[in-house]
Structures are given as structure tokens and as C-alpha cells.
Amino acid sequence: QQQVKQSPQSLIVQKGGISIINCAYENTAFDYFPWYQQFPGKGPALLIAIRPDVSEKKEGRFTISFNKSAKQFSLHIMDSQPGDSATYFCAASKPGAAGNKLTFGGGTRVLVKP
Amino acid sequence: DSGVTQTPKHLITATGQRVTLRCSPRSGDLSVYWYQQSLDQGLQFLIHYYNGEERAKGNILERFSAQQFPDLHSELNLSSLELGDSALYFCASSVWRDTQYFGPGTRLTVL
């Protein structure tokens, strides 16, 4: 059962454009939603994260929008740069004694053309 | 650099063999998580240790096991290896339920 669905699988955007990646989740117990960026040959690195009590969070050119009723959240990359070309993963976790295991979406490969 | 170290970086072995992957968490982090990344399954949670105790298991095969030592480093043991075990294996560390910092990964190739 895929608990976090991510789309699109890949996207191409021109330099300066906006990249938008969407995720939908099923488990309403999830309370932490991070986005990770991964370059080839590297481990995922946290980009930005949000909790359900906030509808939007912005850090530099990266913005998360969160819609609790629709169980959806999205990443917007403004003014996309060639250095943003990477694979992006959304994830979710829920509270509990088991800690903070992350359930990941399938990933989106972003290519920013100069 | 996340501060999480993993060794070895690459591992090539044959089917039926056993390997050990090592992870050293960031200084001060008590939690270690192991994830498997493959082309068809994406990033999958395997197991979580907190301060030496197993806290959660995910899609971890019975052929796989892990432990966290008193110095907080962790090892993931993979035995009776199959071709399908070829993947990237990441460990991540955190203080508890906050941000997870991922290591550079170990690429396992089973021939």
C-alpha cells in the first residue's frame, strides 16, 4: 500500500521558471511532512518541512503548501536554477513510540534547462 | 556534509554471501534509521534504533538484521544475498523525532 503518492515522476522546467511537485497521503495520523533533495550519488538532504497546523511555509525559493482537508501537500521551487536539477522526495511520518520513520513518495526527477 | 558517515561506499559481492554495512551517526544523535533505495521500490524504511534499542521495523527481510552499539554506531547485516538485494542503503540519524540527516549511502551490487 503506497501511503504517499507523488507526481509527476519527472519534469523539465526552464531556468527562472516554477517547478511544482505534488504529494497526496492517506494516513491522517501523519503529522510531519518533509521534502528531501537528492543529487546523483548522494544521500537525501532535507530541504524544507511542514506540520499540519500551518498551511504554507517558505524558505528562500522553496515553498510548501499544505491542504489538510484534501490530504495533499506540494513543493514549489521558484526561479528554478540549473543547480536545482535533482530528485525530490516528499515524505511523511506520524507520532508514536516508534520514533520518526519516514514514508517516502516515489520521487520526482527535476531538470532545469539553462 | 550531513555528519553521518557510512562505510563502505561501494560493495560488490556474490549471491549467497553475507555483508555488513556500517553507519556512524552525527555527534549527539541517538536515533539511527536504515533505508533501502532501489529503482523499483524507491526509498523504503528498514529499521530504527534508538540508544541501542530497536524501536521499529519496516520492510526488512528476515535475512537482514541490524544492531546499534554502545558508541551509537550501527551495523546492518545482510545475509544469503540475492540479486534483488542490489540497492543503495542509507542510514540516517536524528536526536529523536526531529530532522533526519542522511549519510552518503552504501551501494551494494550482488552478482
Side-chain angles (χ1 to χ4, degrees), chain B residues 57-87:
Chain B
K57 269 187 174 180
N59 300 320
I60 187 166
L61 300 170
E62 285 191 12
R63 301 182 285 108
F64 295 2
S65 65
Q67 53 184 328
Q68 186 180 26
F69 295 86
D71 68 351
L72 301 177
H73 91 272
S74 177
E75 292 180 356
L76 180 67
N77 300 295
L78 315 176
S79 61
S80 303
L81 285 167
E82 301 175 0
L83 295 177
D85 297 327
S86 295

Side-chain angles (χ1 to χ4, degrees), chain A residues 36 38 44 46 97-98 100 102, chain B residues 33 35 37 48 55 99-100 102:
Chain A
Y36 280 83
Q38 185 179 29
L46 179 70
N100 198 32
L102 294 170
Chain B
Y33 301 80
Y35 294 87
Q37 185 174 36
H48 169 216
R55 283 305 186 108
T99 302
Q100 289 186 31
F102 281 73

